Coordinates of all heavy atoms in Angstrom, one line a residue:
M264 N 87.3 110.9 82.8 CA 88.5 111.5 83.4 C 89.0 112.7 82.5 O 88.9 112.6 81.3 CB 89.6 110.5 83.6 CG 89.2 109.3 84.4 SD 88.4 109.5 86.0 CE 89.6 110.3 86.9
P265 N 89.5 113.7 83.2 CA 90.0 114.8 82.4 C 91.0 114.5 81.3 O 91.0 115.1 80.2 CB 90.6 115.8 83.4 CG 90.0 115.4 84.7 CD 89.7 113.9 84.6
D266 N 91.9 113.5 81.5 CA 92.9 113.2 80.5 C 92.4 112.1 79.5 O 93.1 111.7 78.6 CB 94.1 112.7 81.2 CG 94.0 111.4 82.0 OD1 92.8 110.9 82.0 OD2 94.9 111.0 82.6
G267 N 91.1 111.7 79.6 CA 90.5 110.8 78.7 C 90.7 109.3 79.1 O 90.1 108.4 78.5
H268 N 91.4 109.0 80.1 CA 91.6 107.6 80.5 C 90.3 107.1 81.2 O 89.5 107.8 81.7 CB 92.7 107.5 81.6 CG 94.1 107.6 81.0 ND1 94.6 108.8 80.7 CD2 95.0 106.7 80.7 CE1 95.8 108.7 80.2 NE2 96.1 107.4 80.1
A269 N 90.1 105.8 81.0 CA 88.9 105.1 81.6 C 89.4 104.1 82.6 O 90.4 103.4 82.4 CB 88.1 104.5 80.5
Y270 N 88.7 103.9 83.7 CA 89.0 103.0 84.8 C 87.9 102.0 84.8 O 86.7 102.3 85.0 CB 89.2 103.7 86.1 CG 90.5 104.5 86.1 CD1 90.5 105.8 85.5 CD2 91.6 104.1 86.8 CE1 91.7 106.5 85.5 CE2 92.8 104.9 86.8 CZ 92.8 106.1 86.1 OH 93.9 106.8 86.1
V271 N 88.2 100.7 84.7 CA 87.3 99.6 84.6 C 87.6 98.5 85.6 O 88.8 98.1 85.7 CB 87.2 99.0 83.2 CG1 86.2 97.9 83.1 CG2 87.0 100.1 82.2
T272 N 86.7 98.1 86.5 CA 86.9 97.0 87.4 C 86.9 95.7 86.7 O 86.0 95.5 85.9 CB 86.0 97.1 88.6 OG1 84.6 97.0 88.1 CG2 86.1 98.3 89.4
D273 N 87.7 94.8 87.2 CA 87.7 93.4 86.7 C 87.5 92.5 88.0 O 88.4 92.1 88.6 CB 89.1 93.0 86.1 CG 89.1 91.6 85.6 OD1 88.1 90.9 85.8 OD2 90.2 91.2 85.2
N274 N 86.2 92.3 88.2 CA 85.8 91.6 89.5 C 86.5 90.3 89.6 O 87.1 89.9 90.6 CB 84.3 91.4 89.5 CG 83.8 91.0 90.8 OD1 83.9 89.8 91.1 ND2 83.2 91.9 91.6
G275 N 86.5 89.4 88.6 CA 87.1 88.1 88.6 C 88.6 88.1 88.7 O 89.2 87.2 89.2
G276 N 89.2 89.1 88.1 CA 90.7 89.2 88.0 C 91.3 90.0 89.2 O 92.5 90.0 89.3
G277 N 90.4 90.6 90.0 CA 91.0 91.3 91.2 C 91.8 92.6 90.8 O 92.8 92.9 91.5
S278 N 91.4 93.3 89.8 CA 92.2 94.4 89.4 C 91.3 95.5 88.8 O 90.1 95.3 88.5 CB 93.3 94.0 88.3 OG 92.6 93.6 87.1
V279 N 91.9 96.7 88.6 CA 91.3 97.8 87.8 C 92.2 98.0 86.6 O 93.4 98.0 86.7 CB 91.3 99.1 88.7 CG1 90.8 100.3 87.8 CG2 90.3 98.9 89.8
T280 N 91.5 98.0 85.4 CA 92.2 98.3 84.2 C 92.1 99.7 83.8 O 91.0 100.3 83.8 CB 91.7 97.3 83.1 OG1 91.9 96.0 83.5 CG2 92.5 97.6 81.8
V281 N 93.2 100.3 83.5 CA 93.2 101.7 83.0 C 93.4 101.7 81.5 O 94.3 101.1 81.0 CB 94.4 102.5 83.6 CG1 94.3 104.0 83.2 CG2 94.4 102.4 85.1
L282 N 92.5 102.3 80.8 CA 92.5 102.3 79.3 C 92.9 103.7 78.8 O 92.3 104.7 79.3 CB 91.1 102.0 78.8 CG 90.5 100.7 79.3 CD1 89.0 100.6 78.9 CD2 91.2 99.5 78.8
D283 N 93.8 103.8 78.0 CA 94.2 105.0 77.3 C 93.7 105.1 75.9 O 94.2 104.3 75.1 CB 95.7 105.2 77.3 CG 96.2 106.5 76.7 OD1 95.5 107.1 76.0 OD2 97.4 106.8 77.0
P284 N 92.6 105.8 75.7 CA 92.0 105.8 74.3 C 92.9 106.3 73.2 O 92.7 105.9 72.1 CB 90.8 106.7 74.5 CG 91.1 107.6 75.7 CD 92.0 106.8 76.6
S285 N 93.8 107.2 73.5 CA 94.7 107.7 72.4 C 95.7 106.7 72.0 O 96.0 106.6 70.8 CB 95.3 109.0 72.9 OG 96.2 108.8 74.0
S286 N 96.3 106.0 72.9 CA 97.3 105.0 72.5 C 96.8 103.6 72.5 O 97.5 102.7 72.0 CB 98.5 105.1 73.4 OG 98.2 104.6 74.7
H287 N 95.6 103.3 73.0 CA 95.0 102.0 73.1 C 95.8 101.1 74.1 O 95.6 99.9 74.1 CB 94.9 101.3 71.8 CG 94.1 102.1 70.8 ND1 92.7 102.2 70.9 CD2 94.5 102.8 69.7 CE1 92.3 103.0 69.9 NE2 93.3 103.4 69.2
A288 N 96.6 101.7 74.9 CA 97.4 101.0 75.9 C 96.5 100.7 77.1 O 95.5 101.4 77.4 CB 98.6 101.8 76.4
T289 N 96.8 99.6 77.8 CA 96.1 99.3 79.1 C 97.2 99.1 80.2 O 98.3 98.7 79.9 CB 95.3 98.0 78.9 OG1 96.1 96.9 78.6 CG2 94.2 98.2 77.9
Q290 N 96.7 99.3 81.4 CA 97.5 99.0 82.6 C 96.6 98.4 83.6 O 95.5 98.9 83.9 CB 98.1 100.3 83.1 CG 98.9 100.2 84.4 CD 99.3 101.5 85.0 OE1 99.2 102.5 84.4 NE2 99.9 101.4 86.2
N291 N 97.0 97.3 84.2 CA 96.3 96.6 85.3 C 96.8 97.0 86.6 O 98.1 97.0 86.8 CB 96.3 95.1 85.1 CG 95.4 94.7 84.0 OD1 94.4 95.3 83.7 ND2 95.8 93.6 83.3
I292 N 95.9 97.4 87.5 CA 96.3 97.8 88.9 C 95.7 96.7 89.8 O 94.5 96.7 89.9 CB 95.8 99.2 89.3 CG1 96.3 100.2 88.3 CG2 96.2 99.6 90.7 CD1 95.5 101.6 88.4
P293 N 96.5 95.9 90.5 CA 96.0 94.9 91.4 C 95.2 95.5 92.5 O 95.6 96.5 93.1 CB 97.2 94.2 92.0 CG 98.3 94.5 91.0 CD 98.0 95.8 90.4
Q294 N 94.0 95.0 92.8 CA 93.1 95.6 93.8 C 92.6 94.6 94.8 O 91.8 95.0 95.7 CB 91.9 96.2 93.1 CG 92.2 97.4 92.3 CD 92.8 98.6 93.1 OE1 92.2 99.1 94.0 NE2 94.0 98.9 92.8
G295 N 92.9 93.3 94.8 CA 92.5 92.4 95.8 C 91.2 91.7 95.4 O 91.0 91.4 94.2
D296 N 90.4 91.3 96.4 CA 89.2 90.5 96.2 C 88.0 91.2 95.7 O 87.4 92.0 96.5 CB 88.9 89.7 97.5 CG 90.1 88.8 97.9 OD1 90.8 88.3 97.0 OD2 90.2 88.6 99.1
F297 N 87.5 90.9 94.6 CA 86.3 91.4 94.0 C 86.1 92.9 94.0 O 85.1 93.4 94.5 CB 85.1 90.7 94.8 CG 85.2 89.2 94.8 CD1 85.5 88.6 96.0 CD2 85.0 88.5 93.7 CE1 85.6 87.2 96.0 CE2 85.1 87.1 93.7 CZ 85.4 86.4 94.9
P298 N 86.9 93.6 93.2 CA 86.6 95.0 93.0 C 85.4 95.1 92.2 O 85.1 94.4 91.3 CB 87.8 95.5 92.3 CG 88.4 94.3 91.6 CD 88.1 93.2 92.5
S299 N 84.5 96.1 92.6 CA 83.2 96.2 91.9 C 82.9 97.6 91.5 O 83.4 98.1 90.5 CB 82.1 95.6 92.8 OG 82.1 96.1 94.1
G300 N 82.2 98.4 92.3 CA 81.8 99.7 91.9 C 83.0 100.7 91.9 O 84.0 100.5 92.6
I301 N 82.9 101.7 91.0 CA 84.0 102.6 90.9 C 83.4 104.0 90.7 O 82.4 104.2 90.0 CB 85.0 102.2 89.8 CG1 86.2 103.0 89.8 CG2 84.3 102.3 88.4 CD1 87.3 102.5 88.9
S302 N 84.0 105.0 91.3 CA 83.6 106.4 91.1 C 84.9 107.3 91.1 O 85.9 106.8 91.5 CB 82.6 106.8 92.1 OG 83.2 106.9 93.4
A303 N 84.7 108.5 90.8 CA 85.9 109.4 90.7 C 85.5 110.8 91.3 O 84.3 111.2 91.3 CB 86.3 109.6 89.3
L304 N 86.5 111.5 91.8 CA 86.3 112.9 92.3 C 86.0 113.7 91.0 O 86.5 113.4 89.9 CB 87.6 113.4 92.9 CG 88.1 112.9 94.2 CD1 89.4 113.5 94.6 CD2 87.0 113.3 95.3
P305 N 85.2 114.7 91.2 CA 84.9 115.6 90.0 C 86.2 116.1 89.3 O 86.2 116.3 88.1 CB 84.0 116.7 90.6 CG 83.4 116.0 91.8 CD 84.4 115.1 92.4
S306 N 87.2 116.3 90.1 CA 88.5 116.8 89.5 C 89.2 115.8 88.7 O 90.1 116.1 88.0 CB 89.4 117.3 90.7 OG 89.8 116.2 91.5
G307 N 88.8 114.5 89.0 CA 89.5 113.4 88.3 C 90.8 113.0 88.9 O 91.5 112.1 88.4
K308 N 91.2 113.6 90.1 CA 92.5 113.3 90.7 C 92.6 111.9 91.4 O 93.6 111.4 91.5 CB 92.8 114.4 91.7 CG 93.1 115.7 91.1 CD 93.4 116.7 92.2 CE 93.7 118.1 91.5 NZ 94.0 119.1 92.5
Q309 N 91.4 111.4 91.8 CA 91.4 110.1 92.4 C 90.1 109.3 92.0 O 89.1 109.9 91.7 CB 91.4 110.2 94.0 CG 92.6 110.8 94.5 CD 92.5 111.0 96.0 OE1 91.5 111.3 96.6 NE2 93.7 110.8 96.7
V310 N 90.3 108.0 92.0 CA 89.1 107.1 91.8 C 89.0 106.2 93.0 O 90.0 105.9 93.7 CB 89.2 106.3 90.5 CG1 89.1 107.1 89.3 CG2 90.4 105.4 90.5
F311 N 87.8 105.8 93.3 CA 87.4 105.0 94.5 C 86.8 103.7 94.0 O 85.9 103.7 93.2 CB 86.5 105.8 95.4 CG 87.0 107.1 95.8 CD1 86.8 108.2 95.0 CD2 87.7 107.2 97.0 CE1 87.2 109.5 95.4 CE2 88.2 108.4 97.4 CZ 88.0 109.6 96.6
V312 N 87.4 102.6 94.5 CA 87.0 101.3 94.0 C 86.4 100.5 95.2 O 87.2 100.3 96.2 CB 88.2 100.5 93.4 CG1 87.7 99.1 93.0 CG2 88.8 101.3 92.3
S313 N 85.2 100.1 95.2 CA 84.6 99.3 96.2 C 85.2 97.9 96.1 O 85.1 97.3 95.0 CB 83.1 99.2 96.1 OG 82.5 100.5 96.4
N314 N 85.7 97.3 97.1 CA 86.3 96.0 97.1 C 85.6 95.1 98.0 O 85.8 95.0 99.2 CB 87.8 96.1 97.5 CG 88.6 95.0 97.1 OD1 88.1 93.9 96.8 ND2 89.9 95.2 97.0
T315 N 84.5 94.4 97.5 CA 83.6 93.6 98.2 C 84.3 92.5 99.0 O 83.9 92.3 100.2 CB 82.5 93.0 97.3 OG1 81.9 94.1 96.6 CG2 81.5 92.3 98.1
G316 N 85.3 91.9 98.5 CA 85.9 90.7 99.1 C 86.6 91.1 100.4 O 86.7 90.4 101.4
S317 N 87.2 92.3 100.4 CA 88.0 92.7 101.6 C 87.2 93.8 102.4 O 87.7 94.2 103.5 CB 89.3 93.3 101.2 OG 89.2 94.4 100.5
G318 N 86.0 94.2 102.0 CA 85.2 95.2 102.7 C 85.9 96.5 102.8 O 85.8 97.2 103.8
T319 N 86.5 97.0 101.7 CA 87.2 98.2 101.7 C 86.9 99.1 100.5 O 86.3 98.5 99.5 CB 88.7 98.0 101.7 OG1 89.1 97.3 100.6 CG2 89.2 97.3 103.0
V320 N 87.3 100.3 100.5 CA 87.2 101.2 99.3 C 88.7 101.6 99.1 O 89.3 102.1 100.0 CB 86.4 102.4 99.5 CG1 86.5 103.4 98.3 CG2 84.9 102.0 99.7
L321 N 89.2 101.2 97.9 CA 90.6 101.6 97.6 C 90.6 102.9 96.8 O 89.8 103.1 96.0 CB 91.1 100.4 96.8 CG 91.0 99.0 97.4 CD1 91.5 98.0 96.4 CD2 91.9 99.0 98.6
V322 N 91.6 103.7 97.2 CA 91.7 105.0 96.5 C 92.9 105.0 95.6 O 94.0 104.6 96.0 CB 91.9 106.1 97.6 CG1 92.0 107.5 96.9 CG2 90.8 106.1 98.6
I323 N 92.7 105.3 94.3 CA 93.8 105.3 93.3 C 94.1 106.7 92.9 O 93.2 107.5 92.6 CB 93.4 104.5 92.1 CG1 93.2 103.0 92.5 CG2 94.5 104.6 91.0 CD1 92.6 102.2 91.4
D324 N 95.3 107.1 93.0 CA 95.8 108.4 92.4 C 95.9 108.3 90.9 O 96.6 107.4 90.4 CB 97.2 108.8 93.0 CG 97.7 110.1 92.5 OD1 97.8 110.2 91.3 OD2 98.1 110.9 93.3
T325 N 95.1 109.1 90.2 CA 95.0 108.9 88.7 C 96.2 109.5 88.0 O 96.4 109.2 86.8 CB 93.7 109.6 88.2 OG1 93.8 111.0 88.5 CG2 92.5 108.9 88.7
Y326 N 97.1 110.2 88.7 CA 98.3 110.7 88.0 C 99.4 109.6 88.0 O 100.2 109.5 87.1 CB 98.8 112.0 88.6 CG 97.9 113.1 88.4 CD1 97.1 113.6 89.4 CD2 97.7 113.7 87.1 CE1 96.2 114.6 89.2 CE2 96.8 114.7 86.9 CZ 96.1 115.2 88.0 OH 95.2 116.2 87.8
T327 N 99.4 108.8 89.1 CA 100.4 107.8 89.2 C 99.9 106.4 89.0 O 100.6 105.4 88.8 CB 101.1 107.8 90.6 OG1 100.0 107.5 91.6 CG2 101.7 109.1 90.9
N328 N 98.5 106.2 89.0 CA 97.8 105.0 89.0 C 98.3 104.0 90.1 O 98.4 102.8 89.8 CB 97.9 104.3 87.6 CG 97.1 105.1 86.6 OD1 96.0 105.6 86.9 ND2 97.5 105.1 85.3
K329 N 98.5 104.5 91.2 CA 98.9 103.8 92.4 C 97.8 103.9 93.5 O 97.2 105.0 93.6 CB 100.2 104.3 93.0 CG 101.4 104.3 92.0 CD 102.0 102.9 91.9 CE 103.3 103.0 91.1 NZ 103.6 101.9 90.4
M330 N 97.7 102.8 94.3 CA 96.7 102.9 95.4 C 97.4 103.8 96.5 O 98.5 103.6 96.8 CB 96.5 101.5 95.9 CG 95.5 101.5 97.1 SD 95.1 99.9 97.7 CE 96.6 99.5 98.5
V331 N 96.6 104.8 97.0 CA 97.1 105.7 98.0 C 96.4 105.5 99.3 O 96.9 106.0 100.3 CB 97.0 107.2 97.5 CG1 98.0 107.4 96.3 CG2 95.6 107.6 97.2
A332 N 95.3 104.8 99.4 CA 94.6 104.6 100.6 C 93.7 103.3 100.5 O 93.3 103.0 99.4 CB 93.8 105.8 101.0
N333 N 93.4 102.7 101.6 CA 92.6 101.6 101.7 C 91.6 101.8 102.9 O 92.0 101.7 104.0 CB 93.4 100.3 101.9 CG 92.7 99.0 101.8 OD1 91.5 99.0 101.5 ND2 93.4 97.9 102.0
L334 N 90.4 102.2 102.6 CA 89.4 102.7 103.6 C 88.5 101.5 104.0 O 87.9 100.9 103.1 CB 88.6 103.9 103.1 CG 89.4 105.0 102.5 CD1 88.5 106.0 101.8 CD2 90.3 105.7 103.5
P335 N 88.2 101.3 105.3 CA 87.2 100.3 105.7 C 85.8 100.7 105.2 O 85.4 101.9 105.3 CB 87.3 100.3 107.2 CG 87.9 101.6 107.6 CD 88.7 102.1 106.4
A336 N 85.1 99.7 104.7 CA 83.7 100.0 104.2 C 82.7 98.9 104.6 O 81.5 99.2 104.5 CB 83.7 100.2 102.7
G337 N 83.1 97.8 105.0 CA 82.2 96.7 105.3 C 82.0 95.8 104.1 O 82.1 96.2 102.9
R338 N 81.8 94.5 104.3 CA 81.7 93.5 103.2 C 80.5 93.6 102.3 O 80.4 92.9 101.3 CB 81.9 92.1 103.8 CG 83.2 91.9 104.3 CD 83.5 90.4 104.5 NE 84.8 90.1 105.0 CZ 85.9 89.9 104.2 NH1 85.7 89.9 102.9 NH2 87.0 89.7 104.8
T339 N 79.6 94.4 102.7 CA 78.3 94.5 101.8 C 78.4 95.6 100.8 O 77.4 95.9 100.1 CB 77.1 94.7 102.7 OG1 77.2 95.9 103.4 CG2 76.9 93.5 103.7
S340 N 79.5 96.3 100.7 CA 79.6 97.4 99.7 C 79.9 96.9 98.3 O 80.9 96.3 98.0 CB 80.7 98.4 100.2 OG 80.8 99.4 99.3
L341 N 78.9 97.2 97.4 CA 79.1 96.8 96.0 C 79.5 98.0 95.1 O 80.0 97.8 94.1 CB 77.8 96.3 95.5 CG 77.4 94.9 95.9 CD1 76.1 94.5 95.3 CD2 78.5 93.9 95.5
G342 N 79.2 99.2 95.6 CA 79.5 100.4 94.8 C 79.7 101.6 95.7 O 79.5 101.5 96.9
N343 N 80.0 102.7 95.1 CA 80.2 103.9 95.8 C 79.9 105.1 94.9 O 79.9 104.9 93.7 CB 81.6 104.0 96.4 CG 82.7 104.1 95.4 OD1 82.9 105.1 94.7 ND2 83.4 102.9 95.1
A344 N 79.7 106.3 95.5 CA 79.5 107.5 94.7 C 80.1 108.7 95.5 O 80.2 108.6 96.7 CB 78.0 107.7 94.5
V345 N 80.6 109.6 94.7 CA 81.2 110.8 95.3 C 80.3 112.0 95.1 O 79.8 112.2 94.0 CB 82.6 111.1 94.7 CG1 83.2 112.4 95.3 CG2 83.5 109.9 94.8
S346 N 80.1 112.8 96.2 CA 79.2 113.9 96.1 C 79.9 115.0 95.1 O 81.1 115.0 95.0 CB 78.9 114.6 97.4 OG 80.1 115.1 98.0
P347 N 79.1 115.8 94.5 CA 79.6 116.9 93.6 C 80.7 117.8 94.3 O 81.6 118.3 93.6 CB 78.4 117.6 93.2 CG 77.3 116.7 93.3 CD 77.6 115.9 94.5
D348 N 80.5 118.0 95.6 CA 81.5 118.9 96.3 C 82.7 118.1 96.8 O 83.6 118.6 97.4 CB 80.9 119.6 97.4 CG 80.3 118.7 98.5 OD1 80.5 117.5 98.4 OD2 79.7 119.3 99.4
S349 N 82.8 116.8 96.5 CA 83.9 115.9 96.9 C 84.0 115.6 98.3 O 85.0 115.1 98.8 CB 85.2 116.4 96.3 OG 85.2 116.6 94.9
N350 N 83.0 116.0 99.1 CA 83.1 115.8 100.6 C 82.6 114.5 101.1 O 82.9 114.2 102.2 CB 82.4 117.0 101.3 CG 83.2 118.3 101.2 OD1 84.4 118.3 101.2 ND2 82.5 119.4 101.1
V351 N 81.8 113.8 100.4 CA 81.1 112.6 100.8 C 81.3 111.5 99.8 O 81.1 111.7 98.6 CB 79.6 112.8 101.1 CG1 79.0 111.5 101.5 CG2 79.4 113.9 102.1
I352 N 81.7 110.3 100.3 CA 81.7 109.1 99.5 C 80.6 108.2 100.1 O 80.7 107.8 101.2 CB 83.1 108.4 99.6 CG1 84.2 109.3 99.2 CG2 83.1 107.1 98.8 CD1 85.6 108.7 99.4
G353 N 79.6 107.9 99.3 CA 78.5 107.1 99.8 C 78.7 105.7 99.3 O 79.3 105.4 98.3
Q354 N 78.2 104.7 100.1 CA 78.3 103.3 99.7 C 77.0 102.7 99.3 O 75.9 103.2 99.8 CB 78.8 102.5 101.0 CG 80.2 102.9 101.4 CD 81.2 102.5 100.4 OE1 81.3 101.4 99.9 NE2 82.0 103.5 100.0
V355 N 77.0 101.8 98.4 CA 75.8 101.1 97.9 C 75.9 99.6 98.5 O 76.8 98.8 98.0 CB 75.7 101.0 96.4 CG1 74.5 100.2 96.0 CG2 75.8 102.4 95.8
P356 N 75.1 99.3 99.5 CA 75.2 98.0 100.1 C 74.5 96.9 99.2 O 73.7 97.2 98.4 CB 74.4 98.1 101.4 CG 73.5 99.3 101.2 CD 74.2 100.2 100.2
V357 N 74.9 95.6 99.5 CA 74.3 94.5 98.7 C 72.8 94.5 98.9 O 72.3 94.8 100.0 CB 74.9 93.2 99.3 CG1 74.1 92.0 98.7 CG2 76.4 93.1 99.0
G358 N 72.0 94.3 97.9 CA 70.6 94.2 98.0 C 69.9 95.4 97.7 O 68.6 95.4 97.6
V359 N 70.5 96.6 97.6 CA 69.9 97.8 97.3 C 69.8 98.0 95.8 O 70.8 97.9 95.1 CB 70.6 99.0 98.0 CG1 70.1 100.3 97.5 CG2 70.6 98.9 99.5
Q360 N 68.6 98.3 95.3 CA 68.4 98.5 93.9 C 68.2 100.0 93.6 O 67.5 100.6 94.4 CB 67.2 97.7 93.4 CG 67.4 96.2 93.5 CD 68.5 95.7 92.7 OE1 68.7 96.1 91.6 NE2 69.3 94.7 93.2
P361 N 68.8 100.5 92.6 CA 68.6 102.0 92.3 C 67.2 102.3 91.9 O 66.5 101.5 91.5 CB 69.6 102.3 91.2 CG 70.1 100.9 90.7 CD 69.7 99.9 91.7

């Protein structure tokens, strides 16, 4: 991320942890059932979290660290990726190997 923060999914805990490398502070953002894959816009303004348990992709605003959208994705989504032009969010379904 442009500001150096890292976003990490906690599948068992149902949250995303934001790590601030300069202060070593952490913040947990509740995300529901089984957050897994995570990606970010090239600008770093938003991150996208695949939430396998609820079949959604959650959108987090990285300036506020708040969820701003909950997009339907289907229960088989384990991960996601954002295109370099930020126009497409692709899903990685269960069983697909890179």
Side-chain angles (χ1 to χ4, degrees):
M264 304 306 300
D266 63 1
H268 287 79
Y270 290 76
V271 181
T272 58
D273 177 5
N274 190 284
S278 66
V279 170
T280 300
V281 184
L282 307 169
D283 182 340
S285 62
S286 69
H287 303 287
T289 61
Q290 176 185 355
N291 286 324
I292 305 168
Q294 293 296 301
D296 297 330
F297 306 109
S299 50
I301 191 166
S302 65
L304 288 177
S306 67
K308 292 181 180 179
Q309 293 178 327
V310 295
F311 302 88
V312 180
S313 293
N314 199 338
T315 306
S317 63
T319 59
V320 172
L321 305 171
V322 183
I323 298 171
D324 179 306
T325 59
Y326 294 109
T327 63
N328 288 328
K329 304 277 187 209
M330 184 178 70
V331 295
N333 191 0
L334 310 172
R338 290 199 180 267
T339 62
S340 177
L341 286 179
N343 65 77
V345 179
S346 65
D348 63 4
S349 302
N350 287 324
V351 177
I352 301 172
Q354 294 297 306
V355 179
V357 172
V359 172
Q360 299 295 321

